Amino acid sequence: LVNSCLVPVAQAAGTQITTIEGVANGDQLHAVQQAFVHHGGAQCGICTPGMVLAAVKLLEKTPQPSLADVRTALAGNLCRCTGYTKIFESVLEACKTNGERHMLIPPGS
């Protein structure tokens, strides 16, 4: 997990890069994305991609993190809108779903 603004493109050559667009599976939101929607963890949207990607990475390594784990994993991602509480609640909620995906768009819409 890296901050893209700090990594020169040449350094990323030959690596696998996952962006916020690659977290969902078609119209199936990742559990972290769905929790951010449900808990209001996404406000203006500026910090949301970094927060979601950091949370996904955390849950891959630590499926049942503590609040302290979440705070540490998201450190360095700055948010001006939420006060972080809603973001932390979102991540803790996401781990309760065991990573299942949720529909973004109802079938046939």
Side-chain angles (χ1 to χ4, degrees):
L1 185 65
V2 299
N3 290 329
S4 61
C5 60
L6 300 176
V7 178
V9 70
Q11 190 175 344
T15 63
Q16 180 179 346
I17 298 171
T18 302
T19 65
I20 191 68
E21 293 82 8
V23 176
N25 184 10
D27 53 349
Q28 299 283 315
L29 289 178
H30 187 280
V32 172
Q33 292 171 307
Q34 182 61 44
F36 267 67
V37 171
H38 182 258
H39 285 281
Q43 296 292 313
C44 73
I46 298 296
C47 72
T48 305
M51 294 288 189
V52 168
L53 289 168
V56 167
K57 185 71 171 174
L58 168 65
L59 296 182
E60 287 174 358
K61 294 183 344 186
T62 308
Q64 297 296 319
S66 67
L67 177 57
D69 294 332
V70 173
R71 288 175 181 244
T72 299
L74 301 184
N77 290 293
L78 304 177
C79 175
R80 295 176 22 175
C81 301
T82 67
Y84 298 94
T85 301
K86 293 179 181 195
I87 292 170
F88 298 152
E89 289 172 355
S90 299
V91 178
L92 293 172
E93 178 66 25
C95 68
K96 295 178 184 176
T97 65
N98 296 319
E100 70 184 60
R101 296 184 183 271
H102 300 272
M103 292 299 296
L104 173 61
I105 304 168
S109 297

